[in-house]
Amino acid sequence: MDVKAFLFGLSAFFTTSLFTASGDDGYAIYRSNDGASTWVRSDGGRECQVRTNAFATLGDAVFAGTDSGILVSEDRGSRWRTSPGLNPRVISMAAHEKFVFAGSDGDGLFRSADGGATWEKCAAFLPPKVRCLLSVNERLFAGTDTNGVLMSLDSGKRWSSLPGLPESAQVFALTHFNDRLFAGLYTKGLYAWDETLLKWERVGTVKPLVLVSTDKSIIAG
């Protein structure tokens, strides 16, 4: 496969990886079963060709957040169906405990407790745009456009702010490494949350748009 444009989403599913790219054949989902050495197109059954912005996995299901709602696959990405009842532009997703969360581009945060069959809006979550989501043990974090980072300890029912980021910070990415939370801010750099001092501090000189952590490293794109 020759990727000719941007990669919009990436997720691991056991030994399978999924990502989307725009190329000569429009928007598509691809799958790799060999650690990304080779890729095959894996979006059979999609009802429309729209850009996919984020993935999440819960049990045997894969969820794809797109420009017009959410797609669900229950066979590791071979076939997809449209998840009913949710059609805003979804730009972030995360699985947390028994829930799947979907962050929209202007309509707030949604969650499903039944594998995407139904969705409910998280009424206590007020920011309209949810750029990134991260689940860490019992905590769920959300990065917003102008409201910094919010945290929930009860699966999205209530939210509290982690204050101290620069004014009007757009939180594009979140990751967790060595028991520390990191936030990548658009044009403003990388910040780490100090759990003892309860404040954010600037770290390094990178200005990441995406973040991921391994056992030994943080990777910033």
Side-chain angles (χ1 to χ4, degrees), residues 3-221:
V3 178
K4 299 184 186 243
F6 297 103
L7 308 184
F8 294 109
L10 179 63
S11 178
F13 181 75
F14 298 109
T15 59
T16 301
S17 296
L18 300 171
F19 76 97
T20 59
S22 61
D24 292 342
D25 52 358
Y27 299 121
I29 294 178
Y30 292 87
R31 177 177 65 188
S32 174
N33 294 319
D34 55 12
S37 294
T38 60
W39 296 86
V40 295
R41 187 158 180 170
S42 184
D43 54 8
R46 298 185 67 185
E47 296 182 0
C48 58
Q49 292 299 314
V50 293
R51 182 170 63 183
T52 302
N53 304 304
F55 286 107
T57 61
L58 181 64
D60 292 330
V62 187
F63 301 83
T66 78
D67 278 355
S68 59
I70 292 176
L71 300 173
V72 183
S73 173
E74 295 171 340
D75 56 8
R76 301 193 180 192
S78 295
R79 292 167 296 180
W80 297 83
R81 58 178 173 82
T82 300
S83 179
L86 188 63
N87 57 12
R89 182 171 186 253
V90 176
I91 57 176
S92 59
M93 297 200 73
H96 181 71
E97 298 179 341
K98 66 176 182 179
F99 299 98
V100 178
F101 286 83
S104 73
D105 184 18
D107 292 293
L109 181 66
F110 299 83
R111 74 175 188 177
S112 174
D114 53 15
T118 59
W119 295 86
E120 63 176 342
K121 190 167 185 177
C122 296
F125 189 91
L126 300 181
K129 183 175 289 189
V130 191
R131 289 200 174 270
C132 53
L133 291 164
L134 177 69
S135 174
V136 181
N137 298 323
E138 77 282 1
R139 296 176 293 172
L140 179 66
F141 299 96
T144 72
D145 230 20
T146 58
N147 298 85
V149 177
L150 303 182
M151 179 182 68
S152 176
L153 298 174
D154 55 9
S155 298
K157 293 181 180 179
R158 293 170 294 181
W159 295 84
S160 58
S161 176
L162 303 184
L165 289 175
E167 185 178 354
S168 299
Q170 294 177 299
V171 184
F172 268 50
L174 293 166
T175 195
H176 193 258
F177 178 72
N178 278 354
D179 293 327
R180 297 188 76 186
L181 178 68
F182 291 84
L185 277 54
Y186 180 66
T187 75
K188 298 181 185 294
L190 180 65
Y191 283 75
W193 175 252
D194 191 312
E195 193 68 39
T196 301
L197 300 178
L198 298 180
K199 69 175 186 178
W200 292 95
E201 59 180 9
R202 177 76 185 270
V203 290
T205 59
V206 295
K207 296 180 179 179
L209 298 180
V210 290
L211 291 169
V212 70
S213 58
T214 68
D215 291 339
K216 298 181 180 179
S217 305
I218 299 177
I219 301 171

